[in-house]
Amino acid sequence: MTTPVDTQAFIASVMEGLTGPGGRFEMVAEDVLGSSMPVMKNRDKSLGDVLAASLDYGSRDYLVTKDRRLSYLEHGFAAAALAQALHDKYSVRKDDRVAILAANTPEWVMSFWAAQALGAIAVGFNSWWVAREVEYGVEHTTPTVVIADAKRAKLLASLNIDVPVLTMEEDLPRLIEEYAGSELPRTAVDEDDPAVILYTSGTSGRPKGAVHTHRNVLAVIDYHRYSDCLAAAFTGKPTDGGPSDLRYLLTSPLFHIASLHNLVVPRLATGSAVIIHEGAFDVDKVLSLVEQEKVTNWGAVPTMANRLLEHGDLGKYDLTSLTSFALASAPSSPAFQERLRTTLPFAQYALVDSYGLTESCTGVSVATPPELAAFPGTLGRPIIGVSVEIRDPFGVPLPEGEEGEICVRSAYVMLGYWNDETATAAAIDPDRWLRTGDFGVLEDGRLRLTGRRSDLILRGGENVYPVEIEQCLDEHPEVLESIVVGFDSPDLGQEVAAVVVVRSEDAITEEELRDFASERLAYFKVPAKWQITTTPLPRNATGKAIRAKVVI
């Protein structure tokens, strides 16, 4: 006679063994920037140390594309050579900024790790930015050097900036060959020293640079190590910390936390392979790569998942290797998730969803496949080390079941915004609680999102704040005022629409406005719908335009 297993008790026992006293992921309370919070006791202290340790994975695949394959040793040797070249030829030192402006490629990853070896700060510029956005990024972070692919290097050459630009196609291979055999530089850093700057759309019109420290990114690495170990324990696999045979598909831009902090970086620490899809998202090319490289894990934005649903002919690909399919970067409805489970065989028992933001470095909460099935609309419980409170407009914590602003505290939360003390103070309180600006409710410890940041438009996983577009349109001499809103899109989730008030009915055409915006904004910010009018915008008693009353 067998004894039935108490699943919840088993899970609790495994977690306690991993995170309790003496466990590999033992959690302890420590001071972090003046606030006591849970951290992992046995942790790395610098990203450079993680890079050095990765050489032990030897000939295992680290970065794979359709036609290239870099082992851990090959990547490590290339990063060491590039780091030494940046140090010797371009005087890159600790805390200097190394900007990266490129589409996804192994050289992007290599450049990131070379910066970490020097204790420099890697700055991930949005590769879809247009000239004036790039110019702002360069002025804002004052990098010592910019590493770019050929397409973006051409754009940089048209700008009035005095910063060396290294191309990934020509300069990097030359420098790596010249400095081949260099020892990996080792630079002493403090855990709370800046390591990365990633940009997020700004509510005030300018992109803001979220500063992530070594502590932040290392904590994300340990979260993924812990998650891998937990999953292995549940399936009876070894949990000794040996290299992982999982193979992760990268389809989202590296200037996002989903791809950089939560894929490329932690996988260097676990010995896993990262399979990079290069170029625009194409269902057939992506699924061919999944089949060819036996991909096991894929984190996709809902727009990509929707295109899978619409493809109609997935049966010709062998997708049996896929065991984890995560939705990230944008919210998805329970109905959409059910369509995925019904239509995509690999999503039936593998679909997970999460909630996070650039400022939090990783997911705030994650919903497992059983949770999504049992509690439609949930975003799961907070991940290890994260505290979540729902607060009222005065900052007072609310009880479970009541809606309010989602506030988060953890070792993952960013240091602040680069060179913007005002925005940092508005986002992070003195006790290190991050005000997300999103609204939600806790139900039996699980988070459910009820509203996004007030005016945010989520287009295909990209955050778009209307005020940036409005400020751009208002620069046109024929425009008196404008207001930008989002509208539903079956493919992208939301798209951008603009109501533009002009001086006279024949002052300007839609095409002229679109061209004007396209020269100044990344393509995903350019409105897809336009309404040109001479009627003033609706306003409240204080003169503020009422976005909710705009119909387009």
Side-chain angles (χ1 to χ4, degrees), residues 171-187:
D171 294 326
L172 261 57
R174 174 178 53 78
L175 290 171
I176 290 169
E177 182 178 0
E178 181 180 349
Y179 282 84
S182 296
E183 290 290 321
L184 183 67
R186 305 297 292 271
T187 307

Side-chain angles (χ1 to χ4, degrees), residues 83-124:
Q84 197 62 53
L86 292 174
H87 179 277
D88 292 356
K89 285 186 174 288
Y90 299 95
S91 301
V92 175
R93 301 292 188 269
K94 182 178 182 294
D95 294 331
D96 286 345
R97 273 73 65 204
V98 174
I100 308 171
L101 179 64
N104 288 357
T105 176
E107 282 72 22
W108 205 114
V109 180
M110 210 178 289
S111 300
F112 171 87
W113 284 111
Q116 300 311 318
L118 297 170
I121 303 169
V123 183

Side-chain angles (χ1 to χ4, degrees), residues 18-74:
L18 292 174
T19 63
R24 181 180 167 202
F25 301 98
E26 179 179 352
M27 299 295 292
V28 295
E30 289 187 11
D31 180 90
V32 177
L33 298 170
S35 180
S36 179
M37 62 185 69
V39 297
M40 289 189 184
K41 180 179 180 180
N42 307 308
R43 61 187 185 274
D44 294 306
K45 298 299 174 67
S46 83
L47 288 166
D49 291 344
V50 174
L51 175 60
S54 73
L55 298 175
D56 292 341
Y57 290 131
S59 61
R60 294 178 65 86
D61 286 344
Y62 175 41
L63 303 175
V64 178
T65 69
K66 181 182 177 182
D67 49 19
R68 294 175 66 190
R69 193 173 300 272
L70 269 72
S71 71
Y72 276 82
L73 272 179
E74 290 169 331

